Amino acid sequence: MRALRTLLIIAVVLGGLFTIADRLAVAAAESEAADRIQARQGLSATPDVSIRGFPFLTQVMGGELDQVDVAMTGVEATAGSRTVRLGELTAELRGVRLENGYARAVAASATGTARISYEELRKASDHDVTLGYGGNGKLQVTGGIELLGRTVTRSVLSTVSVVDGDTLRVRADKVPGEGIPGVEELVRERTDFDRQVKGFPAGLRIQKVEAAPDGLQISVTGQNVVLAG
């Protein structure tokens, strides 16, 4: 019985040491991954990286991590010829393969969310317009047009959609024509626009977009997403 008790105590101690070593290793790996992501994306702030699953060391030995969660701010994307800053980008990456001696990490699949403020979206428009939340998932676009020798301000409710996984399309649902030929065309020249958005981590594409009170809420998804390297 004494020998059995001794073996149990040794097993508990070794298990505790392994757990400590595993947690120290995962903390070091998260810090290293955050630095590499920051460098790859050109971020001003260090992202938050969480490696899920236990034990971590056996995942590393197998060359694949079950799940890695990333939250980053300051991601800059190009919309047409203009640069817009994302409020925050969070991503859940699964099946993260460690390649090239752990220098490169590629996720088999990923899902996430991002946000673009209305002020940043306004910068992507070709015209001087004001953008805001119009309620019920709609975007309110306000701009001025020249009508009968004077500038008239018009507001429309618009739907935002995704085209080809990388382009935001803004289209007015209805434009008041006021019975004057050409008014609708003039308004749409100000309020309707398409903007291709680039700058997400390689492999991520826009799946869905919806207007919300604090900006455009964007859902992203992807396969073979390059996390680092």
Side-chain angles (χ1 to χ4, degrees):
M1 292 295 294
R2 182 176 298 176
L4 178 59
R5 186 180 299 114
T6 301
L7 288 174
L8 289 174
I9 292 173
I10 292 174
V12 170
V13 171
L14 291 177
L17 292 175
F18 175 79
T19 300
I20 293 172
D22 190 82
R23 294 302 88 190
L24 290 174
V26 77
E30 289 171 344
S31 178
E32 176 67 17
D35 289 342
R36 292 188 182 185
I37 294 171
Q38 182 178 12
R40 181 179 178 84
Q41 294 298 130
L43 305 176
S44 58
T46 304
D48 292 327
V49 178
S50 297
I51 299 175
R52 306 298 184 185
F54 179 84
F56 165 71
L57 292 174
T58 57
Q59 294 182 66
V60 172
M61 292 175 62
E64 184 174 309
L65 306 178
D66 295 339
Q67 179 179 329
V68 178
D69 295 340
V70 179
M72 59 185 91
T73 57
V75 176
E76 291 188 343
T78 57
S81 61
R82 295 169 173 80
T83 299
V84 296
R85 183 179 293 270
L86 304 183
E88 184 178 47
L89 171 63
T90 62
E92 181 181 288
L93 305 108
R94 296 184 177 276
V96 180
R97 303 186 303 276
L98 304 176
E99 304 173 349
N100 298 339
Y102 308 124
R104 177 179 167 89
V106 181
S109 63
T111 57
T113 60
R115 181 176 61 83
I116 300 179
S117 71
Y118 291 124
E119 175 59 24
E120 290 295 320
L121 183 63
R122 183 194 65 77
K123 296 177 183 178
S125 173
D126 283 333
H127 302 288
D128 184 14
V129 295
T130 300
L131 303 177
Y133 183 54
N136 296 320
K138 299 292 184 178
L139 179 68
Q140 180 173 293
V141 185
T142 303
I145 62 171
E146 292 297 323
L147 185 63
L148 300 179
R150 61 191 182 96
T151 301
V152 179
T153 300
R154 287 292 179 266
S155 293
V156 296
L157 291 179
S158 300
T159 296
V160 188
S161 58
V162 181
V163 180
D164 296 331
D166 65 356
T167 300
L168 300 180
R169 171 166 291 174
V170 177
R171 290 290 184 273
D173 295 348
K174 183 180 179 181
V175 176
E178 301 179 355
I180 303 175
V183 169
E184 179 172 352
E185 289 75 11
L186 288 173
V187 173
R188 287 192 179 276
E189 284 179 4
R190 292 283 181 177
T191 61
D192 293 359
F193 59 92
D194 288 1
R195 281 295 175 270
Q196 187 178 50
V197 180
K198 298 181 179 180
F200 291 108
L204 282 181
R205 292 171 61 82
I206 302 173
Q207 182 183 43
K208 179 183 177 183
V209 61
E210 185 176 26
D214 59 348
L216 289 186
Q217 301 298 322
I218 298 173
S219 298
V220 294
T221 185
Q223 296 180 332
N224 296 319
V225 177
V226 179
L227 183 62

Short mmCIF file of all heavy atoms in Angstrom, two decimals, residues 64-123:
data_model
loop_
_atom_site.label_atom_id
_atom_site.label_comp_id
_atom_site.label_asym_id
_atom_site.label_seq_id
_atom_site.Cartn_x
_atom_site.Cartn_y
_atom_site.Cartn_z
N GLU A 64 -0.40 20.12 -35.80
CA GLU A 64 -1.68 20.79 -36.07
C GLU A 64 -2.35 21.18 -34.76
O GLU A 64 -2.43 20.39 -33.83
CB GLU A 64 -2.60 19.90 -36.88
CG GLU A 64 -3.92 20.55 -37.27
CD GLU A 64 -4.75 19.69 -38.21
OE1 GLU A 64 -4.19 19.24 -39.23
OE2 GLU A 64 -5.94 19.48 -37.92
N LEU A 65 -2.85 22.43 -34.71
CA LEU A 65 -3.57 22.94 -33.55
C LEU A 65 -5.07 22.84 -33.80
O LEU A 65 -5.54 23.13 -34.90
CB LEU A 65 -3.18 24.39 -33.26
CG LEU A 65 -1.68 24.68 -33.10
CD1 LEU A 65 -1.46 26.17 -32.88
CD2 LEU A 65 -1.10 23.86 -31.95
N ASP A 66 -5.81 22.44 -32.77
CA ASP A 66 -7.26 22.27 -32.94
C ASP A 66 -7.94 23.59 -33.30
O ASP A 66 -8.73 23.65 -34.24
CB ASP A 66 -7.88 21.71 -31.65
CG ASP A 66 -7.39 20.31 -31.33
OD1 ASP A 66 -6.92 19.63 -32.26
OD2 ASP A 66 -7.46 19.91 -30.15
N GLN A 67 -7.65 24.64 -32.52
CA GLN A 67 -8.34 25.92 -32.73
C GLN A 67 -7.48 27.07 -32.22
O GLN A 67 -6.86 26.98 -31.16
CB GLN A 67 -9.68 25.93 -32.00
CG GLN A 67 -10.47 27.24 -32.14
CD GLN A 67 -11.81 27.19 -31.42
OE1 GLN A 67 -12.43 26.14 -31.31
NE2 GLN A 67 -12.27 28.33 -30.95
N VAL A 68 -7.46 28.14 -32.98
CA VAL A 68 -6.78 29.37 -32.57
C VAL A 68 -7.74 30.53 -32.76
O VAL A 68 -8.31 30.71 -33.83
CB VAL A 68 -5.50 29.61 -33.40
CG1 VAL A 68 -4.83 30.92 -32.97
CG2 VAL A 68 -4.52 28.45 -33.25
N ASP A 69 -7.95 31.31 -31.70
CA ASP A 69 -8.82 32.48 -31.76
C ASP A 69 -7.95 33.73 -31.80
O ASP A 69 -7.00 33.87 -31.01
CB ASP A 69 -9.74 32.54 -30.54
CG ASP A 69 -10.72 31.38 -30.50
OD1 ASP A 69 -10.94 30.75 -31.56
OD2 ASP A 69 -11.25 31.08 -29.42
N VAL A 70 -8.29 34.65 -32.70
CA VAL A 70 -7.50 35.87 -32.87
C VAL A 70 -8.43 37.07 -32.86
O VAL A 70 -9.50 37.05 -33.48
CB VAL A 70 -6.72 35.85 -34.20
CG1 VAL A 70 -5.92 37.14 -34.37
CG2 VAL A 70 -5.79 34.64 -34.27
N ALA A 71 -8.03 38.12 -32.16
CA ALA A 71 -8.75 39.39 -32.16
C ALA A 71 -7.74 40.49 -32.43
O ALA A 71 -6.74 40.61 -31.71
CB ALA A 71 -9.46 39.63 -30.83
N MET A 72 -7.98 41.27 -33.47
CA MET A 72 -7.02 42.32 -33.83
C MET A 72 -7.74 43.61 -34.17
O MET A 72 -8.85 43.61 -34.70
CB MET A 72 -6.14 41.86 -34.99
CG MET A 72 -6.86 41.50 -36.27
SD MET A 72 -5.75 40.82 -37.55
CE MET A 72 -5.88 39.07 -37.15
N THR A 73 -7.11 44.72 -33.83
CA THR A 73 -7.63 46.05 -34.17
C THR A 73 -6.60 46.76 -35.04
O THR A 73 -5.42 46.42 -35.03
CB THR A 73 -7.90 46.87 -32.90
OG1 THR A 73 -6.69 46.96 -32.12
CG2 THR A 73 -8.98 46.23 -32.05
N GLY A 74 -7.07 47.75 -35.75
CA GLY A 74 -6.16 48.51 -36.58
C GLY A 74 -5.87 47.89 -37.93
O GLY A 74 -4.94 48.33 -38.62
N VAL A 75 -6.65 46.88 -38.31
CA VAL A 75 -6.45 46.28 -39.63
C VAL A 75 -6.87 47.29 -40.70
O VAL A 75 -7.97 47.84 -40.65
CB VAL A 75 -7.28 44.99 -39.79
CG1 VAL A 75 -7.14 44.43 -41.20
CG2 VAL A 75 -6.84 43.95 -38.77
N GLU A 76 -5.99 47.54 -41.64
CA GLU A 76 -6.30 48.47 -42.71
C GLU A 76 -6.63 47.70 -43.99
O GLU A 76 -5.91 46.78 -44.36
CB GLU A 76 -5.14 49.43 -42.97
CG GLU A 76 -4.93 50.42 -41.84
CD GLU A 76 -3.91 51.49 -42.18
OE1 GLU A 76 -3.14 51.28 -43.14
OE2 GLU A 76 -3.90 52.52 -41.48
N ALA A 77 -7.73 48.07 -44.60
CA ALA A 77 -8.15 47.45 -45.86
C ALA A 77 -8.25 48.53 -46.92
O ALA A 77 -8.46 49.71 -46.61
CB ALA A 77 -9.50 46.76 -45.68
N THR A 78 -8.10 48.13 -48.16
CA THR A 78 -8.28 49.08 -49.25
C THR A 78 -9.67 48.89 -49.84
O THR A 78 -10.10 47.77 -50.09
CB THR A 78 -7.22 48.87 -50.36
OG1 THR A 78 -7.29 47.50 -50.82
CG2 THR A 78 -5.84 49.16 -49.84
N ALA A 79 -10.37 49.99 -50.00
CA ALA A 79 -11.70 49.98 -50.61
C ALA A 79 -11.62 50.84 -51.85
O ALA A 79 -11.62 52.07 -51.77
CB ALA A 79 -12.76 50.51 -49.64
N GLY A 80 -11.50 50.18 -53.00
CA GLY A 80 -11.23 50.93 -54.22
C GLY A 80 -9.82 51.46 -54.14
O GLY A 80 -8.87 50.72 -53.90
N SER A 81 -9.64 52.76 -54.29
CA SER A 81 -8.32 53.38 -54.18
C SER A 81 -8.08 53.99 -52.81
O SER A 81 -7.02 54.59 -52.57
CB SER A 81 -8.18 54.48 -55.25
OG SER A 81 -9.17 55.49 -55.05
N ARG A 82 -9.01 53.80 -51.88
CA ARG A 82 -8.92 54.41 -50.57
C ARG A 82 -8.65 53.36 -49.49
O ARG A 82 -8.96 52.20 -49.65
CB ARG A 82 -10.20 55.18 -50.26
CG ARG A 82 -10.43 56.37 -51.20
CD ARG A 82 -11.84 56.92 -51.02
NE ARG A 82 -12.05 58.14 -51.78
CZ ARG A 82 -12.31 58.17 -53.08
NH1 ARG A 82 -12.40 57.04 -53.76
NH2 ARG A 82 -12.49 59.32 -53.70
N THR A 83 -8.09 53.83 -48.38
CA THR A 83 -7.79 52.96 -47.25
C THR A 83 -8.83 53.18 -46.16
O THR A 83 -9.13 54.32 -45.79
CB THR A 83 -6.39 53.25 -46.68
OG1 THR A 83 -5.41 52.99 -47.70
CG2 THR A 83 -6.10 52.35 -45.49
N VAL A 84 -9.38 52.10 -45.64
CA VAL A 84 -10.33 52.17 -44.52
C VAL A 84 -9.79 51.31 -43.40
O VAL A 84 -9.12 50.30 -43.62
CB VAL A 84 -11.75 51.71 -44.92
CG1 VAL A 84 -12.33 52.63 -45.97
CG2 VAL A 84 -11.74 50.28 -45.42
N ARG A 85 -10.08 51.72 -42.18
CA ARG A 85 -9.60 51.01 -41.00
C ARG A 85 -10.76 50.23 -40.37
O ARG A 85 -11.82 50.81 -40.11
CB ARG A 85 -9.00 51.98 -39.99
CG ARG A 85 -8.40 51.31 -38.75
CD ARG A 85 -7.81 52.35 -37.83
NE ARG A 85 -6.65 52.99 -38.43
CZ ARG A 85 -5.40 52.55 -38.30
NH1 ARG A 85 -5.16 51.46 -37.59
NH2 ARG A 85 -4.40 53.18 -38.86
N LEU A 86 -10.54 48.95 -40.13
CA LEU A 86 -11.55 48.13 -39.49
C LEU A 86 -11.55 48.40 -37.99
O LEU A 86 -10.47 48.52 -37.38
CB LEU A 86 -11.29 46.64 -39.74
CG LEU A 86 -11.19 46.18 -41.20
CD1 LEU A 86 -11.01 44.67 -41.26
CD2 LEU A 86 -12.41 46.61 -41.99
N GLY A 87 -12.73 48.49 -37.39
CA GLY A 87 -12.82 48.71 -35.96
C GLY A 87 -12.23 47.54 -35.18
O GLY A 87 -11.47 47.70 -34.24
N GLU A 88 -12.56 46.33 -35.56
CA GLU A 88 -12.02 45.12 -34.93
C GLU A 88 -12.29 43.94 -35.85
O GLU A 88 -13.30 43.89 -36.53
CB GLU A 88 -12.66 44.86 -33.56
CG GLU A 88 -12.05 43.66 -32.84
CD GLU A 88 -12.65 43.42 -31.47
OE1 GLU A 88 -13.90 43.45 -31.35
OE2 GLU A 88 -11.89 43.21 -30.52
N LEU A 89 -11.35 43.03 -35.86
CA LEU A 89 -11.51 41.79 -36.62
C LEU A 89 -11.25 40.63 -35.68
O LEU A 89 -10.19 40.55 -35.05
CB LEU A 89 -10.54 41.73 -37.79
CG LEU A 89 -10.43 40.39 -38.55
CD1 LEU A 89 -11.76 40.04 -39.21
CD2 LEU A 89 -9.32 40.44 -39.58
N THR A 90 -12.24 39.75 -35.52
CA THR A 90 -12.06 38.55 -34.72
C THR A 90 -12.24 37.34 -35.62
O THR A 90 -13.08 37.34 -36.52
CB THR A 90 -13.07 38.48 -33.56
OG1 THR A 90 -14.41 38.44 -34.09
CG2 THR A 90 -12.94 39.70 -32.65
N ALA A 91 -11.44 36.32 -35.37
CA ALA A 91 -11.51 35.13 -36.21
C ALA A 91 -11.30 33.88 -35.36
O ALA A 91 -10.49 33.87 -34.44
CB ALA A 91 -10.47 35.18 -37.32
N GLU A 92 -12.04 32.83 -35.69
CA GLU A 92 -11.90 31.52 -35.07
C GLU A 92 -11.36 30.58 -36.15
O GLU A 92 -12.04 30.31 -37.13
CB GLU A 92 -13.24 31.03 -34.55
CG GLU A 92 -13.20 29.68 -33.86
CD GLU A 92 -14.58 29.24 -33.40
OE1 GLU A 92 -15.08 29.83 -32.42
OE2 GLU A 92 -15.15 28.32 -34.03
N LEU A 93 -10.13 30.13 -35.96
CA LEU A 93 -9.46 29.31 -36.96
C LEU A 93 -9.33 27.88 -36.46
O LEU A 93 -8.91 27.65 -35.33
CB LEU A 93 -8.07 29.89 -37.26
CG LEU A 93 -8.09 31.37 -37.69
CD1 LEU A 93 -7.53 32.24 -36.57
CD2 LEU A 93 -7.28 31.59 -38.96
N ARG A 94 -9.69 26.94 -37.32
CA ARG A 94 -9.68 25.53 -36.93
C ARG A 94 -8.74 24.73 -37.83
O ARG A 94 -8.57 25.04 -39.00
CB ARG A 94 -11.09 24.95 -36.98
CG ARG A 94 -12.05 25.58 -35.98
CD ARG A 94 -13.42 24.91 -36.00
NE ARG A 94 -14.30 25.48 -34.98
CZ ARG A 94 -14.32 25.10 -33.71
NH1 ARG A 94 -13.50 24.13 -33.29
NH2 ARG A 94 -15.16 25.65 -32.85
N GLY A 95 -8.16 23.69 -37.23
CA GLY A 95 -7.25 22.84 -37.99
C GLY A 95 -6.04 23.61 -38.49
O GLY A 95 -5.75 23.62 -39.68
N VAL A 96 -5.33 24.28 -37.56
CA VAL A 96 -4.21 25.14 -37.94
C VAL A 96 -2.95 24.28 -38.12
O VAL A 96 -2.40 23.75 -37.16
CB VAL A 96 -3.97 26.23 -36.88
CG1 VAL A 96 -2.79 27.12 -37.30
CG2 VAL A 96 -5.23 27.07 -36.69
N ARG A 97 -2.51 24.17 -39.36
CA ARG A 97 -1.33 23.37 -39.68
C ARG A 97 -0.06 24.19 -39.45
O ARG A 97 0.02 25.36 -39.85
CB ARG A 97 -1.36 22.90 -41.14
CG ARG A 97 -2.60 22.10 -41.51
CD ARG A 97 -2.49 21.56 -42.92
NE ARG A 97 -2.27 22.60 -43.91
CZ ARG A 97 -3.24 23.32 -44.46
NH1 ARG A 97 -4.52 23.10 -44.11
NH2 ARG A 97 -2.98 24.23 -45.37
N LEU A 98 0.92 23.56 -38.79
CA LEU A 98 2.21 24.20 -38.56
C LEU A 98 3.19 23.69 -39.62
O LEU A 98 3.45 22.50 -39.71
CB LEU A 98 2.71 23.86 -37.15
CG LEU A 98 1.75 24.21 -36.02
CD1 LEU A 98 2.28 23.74 -34.69
CD2 LEU A 98 1.47 25.71 -35.99
N GLU A 99 3.71 24.61 -40.43
CA GLU A 99 4.54 24.24 -41.56
C GLU A 99 5.90 24.93 -41.51
O GLU A 99 6.09 25.90 -40.77
CB GLU A 99 3.82 24.60 -42.88
CG GLU A 99 2.43 23.98 -43.01
CD GLU A 99 1.67 24.48 -44.23
OE1 GLU A 99 2.14 25.45 -44.85
OE2 GLU A 99 0.63 23.89 -44.56
N ASN A 100 6.82 24.45 -42.33
CA ASN A 100 8.14 25.06 -42.46
C ASN A 100 8.84 25.26 -41.11
O ASN A 100 9.31 26.36 -40.79
CB ASN A 100 8.06 26.40 -43.20
CG ASN A 100 7.54 26.27 -44.61
OD1 ASN A 100 7.58 25.18 -45.20
ND2 ASN A 100 7.01 27.36 -45.15
N GLY A 101 8.87 24.18 -40.33
CA GLY A 101 9.53 24.27 -39.03
C GLY A 101 8.85 25.24 -38.09
O GLY A 101 9.50 25.98 -37.34
N TYR A 102 7.52 25.24 -38.11
CA TYR A 102 6.68 26.09 -37.27
C TYR A 102 6.73 27.57 -37.64
O TYR A 102 6.21 28.42 -36.92
CB TYR A 102 7.02 25.94 -35.77
CG TYR A 102 7.04 24.52 -35.30
CD1 TYR A 102 8.17 23.99 -34.68
CD2 TYR A 102 5.95 23.69 -35.47
CE1 TYR A 102 8.20 22.67 -34.25
CE2 TYR A 102 5.95 22.37 -35.04
CZ TYR A 102 7.10 21.87 -34.44
OH TYR A 102 7.12 20.56 -34.01
N ALA A 103 7.37 27.90 -38.77
CA ALA A 103 7.46 29.30 -39.18
C ALA A 103 6.19 29.77 -39.88
O ALA A 103 5.96 30.97 -40.02
CB ALA A 103 8.65 29.49 -40.12
N ARG A 104 5.35 28.85 -40.32
CA ARG A 104 4.14 29.19 -41.07
C ARG A 104 2.96 28.45 -40.46
O ARG A 104 3.07 27.28 -40.09
CB ARG A 104 4.32 28.80 -42.54
CG ARG A 104 3.12 29.02 -43.43
CD ARG A 104 3.47 28.61 -44.85
NE ARG A 104 2.32 28.50 -45.72
CZ ARG A 104 1.83 29.50 -46.43
NH1 ARG A 104 2.40 30.69 -46.36
NH2 ARG A 104 0.79 29.32 -47.23
N ALA A 105 1.83 29.14 -40.35
CA ALA A 105 0.61 28.55 -39.80
C ALA A 105 -0.54 28.81 -40.76
O ALA A 105 -0.79 29.96 -41.14
CB ALA A 105 0.29 29.12 -38.42
N VAL A 106 -1.24 27.75 -41.15
CA VAL A 106 -2.34 27.86 -42.11
C VAL A 106 -3.56 27.12 -41.55
O VAL A 106 -3.46 25.95 -41.19
CB VAL A 106 -1.96 27.26 -43.48
CG1 VAL A 106 -3.12 27.40 -44.46
CG2 VAL A 106 -0.71 27.92 -44.03
N ALA A 107 -4.69 27.82 -41.46
CA ALA A 107 -5.92 27.23 -40.92
C ALA A 107 -6.73 26.58 -42.03
O ALA A 107 -6.95 27.18 -43.09
CB ALA A 107 -6.76 28.29 -40.23
N ALA A 108 -7.18 25.36 -41.78
CA ALA A 108 -8.01 24.66 -42.76
C ALA A 108 -9.30 25.42 -43.00
O ALA A 108 -9.79 25.49 -44.13
CB ALA A 108 -8.30 23.24 -42.29
N SER A 109 -9.88 26.00 -41.95
CA SER A 109 -11.12 26.77 -42.09
C SER A 109 -11.15 27.88 -41.06
O SER A 109 -10.46 27.82 -40.03
CB SER A 109 -12.36 25.87 -41.92
OG SER A 109 -12.40 25.33 -40.62
N ALA A 110 -11.93 28.91 -41.34
CA ALA A 110 -12.02 30.04 -40.42
C ALA A 110 -13.34 30.76 -40.59
O ALA A 110 -13.90 30.81 -41.69
CB ALA A 110 -10.87 31.01 -40.64
N THR A 111 -13.83 31.30 -39.48
CA THR A 111 -15.00 32.18 -39.50
C THR A 111 -14.68 33.37 -38.62
O THR A 111 -13.86 33.27 -37.70
CB THR A 111 -16.27 31.48 -38.98
OG1 THR A 111 -16.03 30.99 -37.65
CG2 THR A 111 -16.67 30.32 -39.88
N GLY A 112 -15.31 34.50 -38.88
CA GLY A 112 -15.03 35.66 -38.06
C GLY A 112 -15.97 36.81 -38.35
O GLY A 112 -16.88 36.71 -39.17
N THR A 113 -15.72 37.91 -37.65
CA THR A 113 -16.51 39.12 -37.83
C THR A 113 -15.59 40.33 -37.87
O THR A 113 -14.48 40.31 -37.32
CB THR A 113 -17.53 39.31 -36.68
OG1 THR A 113 -16.82 39.40 -35.43
CG2 THR A 113 -18.52 38.15 -36.63
N ALA A 114 -16.05 41.37 -38.53
CA ALA A 114 -15.32 42.63 -38.58
C ALA A 114 -16.33 43.77 -38.59
O ALA A 114 -17.52 43.55 -38.83
CB ALA A 114 -14.42 42.70 -39.82
N ARG A 115 -15.84 44.97 -38.33
CA ARG A 115 -16.72 46.13 -38.33
C ARG A 115 -16.04 47.29 -39.04
O ARG A 115 -14.85 47.53 -38.88
CB ARG A 115 -17.07 46.55 -36.89
CG ARG A 115 -18.02 47.74 -36.81
CD ARG A 115 -18.40 48.04 -35.37
NE ARG A 115 -17.24 48.38 -34.56
CZ ARG A 115 -16.70 49.60 -34.50
NH1 ARG A 115 -17.21 50.60 -35.23
NH2 ARG A 115 -15.66 49.83 -33.75
N ILE A 116 -16.82 48.00 -39.86
CA ILE A 116 -16.35 49.23 -40.50
C ILE A 116 -17.29 50.35 -40.05
O ILE A 116 -18.51 50.26 -40.24
CB ILE A 116 -16.37 49.13 -42.04
CG1 ILE A 116 -15.46 47.99 -42.51
CG2 ILE A 116 -15.92 50.44 -42.66
CD1 ILE A 116 -15.45 47.81 -44.02
N SER A 117 -16.74 51.39 -39.46
CA SER A 117 -17.56 52.51 -39.02
C SER A 117 -18.11 53.24 -40.23
O SER A 117 -17.57 53.16 -41.35
CB SER A 117 -16.75 53.47 -38.15
OG SER A 117 -15.81 54.18 -38.94
N TYR A 118 -19.17 53.99 -40.01
CA TYR A 118 -19.77 54.73 -41.13
C TYR A 118 -18.85 55.84 -41.63
O TYR A 118 -18.86 56.18 -42.81
CB TYR A 118 -21.13 55.29 -40.72
CG TYR A 118 -22.17 54.20 -40.53
CD1 TYR A 118 -22.87 54.06 -39.34
CD2 TYR A 118 -22.42 53.29 -41.55
CE1 TYR A 118 -23.79 53.04 -39.18
CE2 TYR A 118 -23.34 52.27 -41.40
CZ TYR A 118 -24.03 52.16 -40.21
OH TYR A 118 -24.94 51.14 -40.04
N GLU A 119 -18.06 56.40 -40.74
CA GLU A 119 -17.11 57.42 -41.16
C GLU A 119 -16.05 56.81 -42.09
O GLU A 119 -15.68 57.41 -43.11
CB GLU A 119 -16.43 58.06 -39.95
CG GLU A 119 -15.33 59.05 -40.28
CD GLU A 119 -15.81 60.21 -41.15
OE1 GLU A 119 -17.01 60.53 -41.14
OE2 GLU A 119 -14.95 60.81 -41.84
N GLU A 120 -15.57 55.61 -41.76
CA GLU A 120 -14.60 54.95 -42.62
C GLU A 120 -15.23 54.55 -43.95
O GLU A 120 -14.60 54.67 -45.01
CB GLU A 120 -14.03 53.71 -41.92
CG GLU A 120 -13.14 54.00 -40.74
CD GLU A 120 -11.85 54.72 -41.14
OE1 GLU A 120 -11.29 54.36 -42.18
OE2 GLU A 120 -11.44 55.64 -40.41
N LEU A 121 -16.48 54.11 -43.91
CA LEU A 121 -17.17 53.75 -45.15
C LEU A 121 -17.38 54.98 -46.02
O LEU A 121 -17.28 54.91 -47.25
CB LEU A 121 -18.51 53.09 -44.84
CG LEU A 121 -19.31 52.60 -46.06
CD1 LEU A 121 -18.56 51.51 -46.81
CD2 LEU A 121 -20.69 52.08 -45.62
N ARG A 122 -17.65 56.12 -45.39
CA ARG A 122 -17.85 57.36 -46.15
C ARG A 122 -16.60 57.70 -46.96
O ARG A 122 -16.68 58.21 -48.09
CB ARG A 122 -18.17 58.51 -45.19
CG ARG A 122 -18.46 59.84 -45.89
CD ARG A 122 -18.44 60.99 -44.92
NE ARG A 122 -17.12 61.18 -44.35
CZ ARG A 122 -16.10 61.77 -44.99
NH1 ARG A 122 -16.26 62.22 -46.21
NH2 ARG A 122 -14.93 61.91 -44.40
N LYS A 123 -15.43 57.40 -46.39
CA LYS A 123 -14.18 57.68 -47.09
C LYS A 123 -14.07 56.89 -48.39
O LYS A 123 -13.33 57.29 -49.30
CB LYS A 123 -12.99 57.36 -46.19
CG LYS A 123 -12.89 58.20 -44.94
CD LYS A 123 -11.71 57.74 -44.10
CE LYS A 123 -11.62 58.52 -42.80
NZ LYS A 123 -10.50 58.04 -41.95
#
